[in-house]
Amino acid sequence: MDKQSKKEIMYERMSEKKKEVKVVRRIVFIVTVVLLLVLGIGAFAAYSYVTDALEPVDADSEKVVEIEVPIGSNLDSISALLEENGLIKDARIYKYYVKFKNQADFQAGTYGLLPSMTLDEITESLKTGKVYREPLFNITVPEGLTLDQIAENVIAKKTKYSAEEFMAKMEDEVYVDELIVKYPALLTEEIKGENVRYALEGYLFPATYPFYEEDPSLDLIIENMIKATESNVVQYQAVLEEMDKTPHWLLTFASLLEEEATAGSDRNTIASVFYNRIEKDMPLQTDPTVIYAMGEHKERLFNKDYEFEHPYSTYTNKGLPPGPIAAAGASSIAAVLDPADTEYLYFLADKEGKNHFSTTYEEHLKKRDEYIGQ
């Protein structure tokens, strides 16, 4: 082969290599562009997804979704609960958002939240224990009311339901059984005892209840109150188990303190009087139980009233009555489990409502003459 032919072959090979290099470069360029596009689209999709997840589920929704955040719930369980109930779009995104914002210390309780609420609004509600949105109206149940009084003074005046409709619910055995199944930590068969006047007496917690719909059902109103009682009682579950006592015992005892106390500091001392009398096998002899037993309000009791035979009377029966005689507040419930350390066996309230305590009956009579008169 002559030199000319060899040069031609060499140039031809070089030319082919150049073409190959161009093809490879073109392929690399195309692959790089495709990868960048894929990454860009992926990043955009991820960004869009996260951005969307940070928005309210339904900005126009006015539907109230009620959720129960149990005591001891962590961020994972709360996030999952919110997603399950359609209040947030993605539990993981919400969890990371809360951590990024350094938010914590969520409170257990019942919340009426809306799908239109922002993540910040939901978070603020869970942190403060209050619903961030303004309620349409509130229902306030004062401490120390009986079911009859709640029916007349709260339900009949603040809702569209009559006192008769409310009391019919309270006496509906099927409804009570349904509630026992629904709230087993609070409601037991004790509330259906033979001598119990109303199964749910003392189980509707005194508090202010916000409502976010114009026409809440009577069931919803009642169950909000029962849930509040459950929340206030379940925190003492371990203490009650250690004492071998039940929620019914606790609420019954607390209702006596609620009716007798005239000041916050009295409750623990009155509790000590009742414990001391029970220990000495003495009747509690608390007037509010006689009034409840008689079924009518009386400003003053006479000697014949104390002889009135009834299961609820603590003058004719020893120990606690069959059930609560009123709705006890948180301070009365707490006082039952934290009585003062005293030897008092008697107490009375003067005309200004101040309580005076005594260790002996003679001392009690002297204080009666001094502060009340014969």
Side-chain angles (χ1 to χ4, degrees):
M1 182 179 295
D2 56 21
K3 291 182 179 181
Q4 183 65 30
S5 298
K6 287 181 179 181
K7 285 183 178 180
E8 290 176 357
I9 292 172
M10 184 177 66
Y11 284 133
E12 186 176 340
R13 288 177 178 175
M14 289 177 63
S15 178
E16 289 177 356
K17 284 183 178 181
K18 287 181 179 180
K19 290 180 180 179
E20 289 177 1
V21 169
K22 287 182 179 181
V23 171
V24 169
R25 286 177 178 173
R26 185 173 297 173
I27 292 173
V28 170
F29 174 77
I30 293 172
V31 169
T32 301
V33 170
V34 170
L35 285 174
L36 289 174
L37 285 173
V38 170
L39 290 173
I41 293 171
F44 179 75
Y47 172 79
S48 298
Y49 180 82
V50 171
T51 302
D52 182 64
L54 295 175
E55 296 295 323
V57 173
D58 183 354
D60 299 321
S61 176
E62 291 297 329
K63 176 186 176 183
V64 177
V65 179
E66 187 174 288
I67 63 168
E68 180 75 24
V69 178
I71 293 175
S73 299
N74 56 27
L75 181 56
D76 286 337
S77 62
I78 292 174
S79 299
L81 179 66
L82 293 172
E83 182 179 351
E84 288 169 7
N85 285 275
L87 293 166
I88 60 174
K89 294 179 179 179
D90 190 294
R92 289 175 300 174
I93 299 297
Y94 179 72
K95 183 174 65 175
Y96 294 140
Y97 179 78
V98 169
K99 288 182 176 180
F100 175 76
K101 301 271 287 188
N102 197 29
Q103 303 284 4
D105 300 325
F106 289 167
Q107 296 191 36
T110 302
Y111 296 86
L113 305 176
L114 292 80
S116 56
M117 293 175 71
T118 66
L119 299 192
D120 285 335
E121 288 175 332
I122 291 174
T123 302
E124 185 66 21
S125 294
L126 297 174
K127 280 187 62 181
T128 62
K130 300 177 181 178
V131 177
Y132 198 71
R133 293 293 178 91
E134 287 293 326
L136 294 179
F137 69 97
N138 296 312
I139 293 177
T140 298
V141 179
E143 296 174 339
L145 295 191
T146 65
L147 285 181
D148 290 316
Q149 291 169 332
I150 293 174
E152 292 287 345
N153 301 325
V154 179
I155 300 300
K157 291 182 178 180
K158 298 294 183 179
T159 76
K160 69 173 187 177
Y161 304 103
S162 66
E164 291 73 22
E165 287 176 295
F166 174 78
M167 291 308 299
K169 275 286 186 182
M170 296 297 99
E171 298 180 274
D172 186 338
E173 293 184 7
V174 174
Y175 180 60
V176 170
D177 286 337
E178 291 173 354
L179 292 176
I180 289 176
V181 172
K182 199 167 184 178
Y183 304 99
L186 176 69
L187 304 177
T188 67
E189 290 295 320
E190 281 185 281
I191 69 174
K192 297 166 62 180
E194 180 181 356
N195 294 318
V196 173
R197 178 173 291 173
Y198 297 122
L200 297 177
E201 185 78 86
Y203 283 85
L204 304 187
F205 194 73
T208 295
Y209 297 90
F211 290 92
Y212 301 87
E213 51 187 287
E214 293 182 0
D215 190 21
S217 67
L218 187 54
D219 287 4
L220 176 62
I221 294 172
I222 293 169
E223 289 193 43
N224 275 357
M225 298 177 187
I226 292 176
K227 288 176 184 177
T229 302
E230 183 179 53
S231 177
N232 278 272
V233 170
V234 74
Q235 61 182 310
Y236 301 114
Q237 185 172 359
V239 179
L240 290 173
E241 289 177 356
E242 186 177 340
M243 296 174 64
D244 194 26
K245 299 297 184 182
T246 65
H248 190 70
W249 171 88
L250 176 61
L251 291 174
T252 301
F253 201 140
S255 71
L256 303 188
L257 301 185
E258 192 64 59
E259 294 296 87
E260 285 282 17
T262 56
S265 59
D266 288 341
R267 288 171 169 80
N268 303 76
T269 308
I270 294 174
S272 76
V273 173
F274 290 155
Y275 274 115
N276 291 340
R277 293 182 74 91
I278 290 172
E279 185 178 351
K280 292 182 177 296
D281 197 33
M282 297 171 64
L284 298 183
Q285 294 184 322
T286 171
D287 290 7
T289 62
V290 178
I291 295 171
Y292 186 83
M294 298 180 75
E296 56 180 307
H297 179 70
K298 304 190 80 172
E299 292 293 337
R300 181 183 177 187
L301 293 176
F302 298 94
N303 289 334
K304 65 176 183 178
D305 296 326
Y306 295 118
E307 298 173 0
F308 181 70
E309 291 282 348
H310 192 279
Y312 275 88
S313 172
T314 54
Y315 277 86
T316 58
N317 301 280
K318 292 180 180 179
L320 297 176
I325 61 171
S331 57
S332 291
I333 293 173
V336 173
L337 304 176
D338 185 29
D341 184 10
T342 78
E343 295 183 359
Y344 294 138
L345 292 172
Y346 305 90
F347 69 94
L348 56 84
D350 61 25
K351 296 176 182 178
E352 283 70 44
K354 181 180 179 181
N355 282 318
H356 300 273
F357 299 87
S358 305
T359 56
T360 67
Y361 186 59
E362 290 73 19
E363 183 185 359
H364 176 66
L365 291 179
K366 289 180 180 178
K367 289 183 178 178
R368 184 192 67 181
D369 293 342
E370 180 180 357
Y371 295 109
I372 300 178
Q374 296 184 1

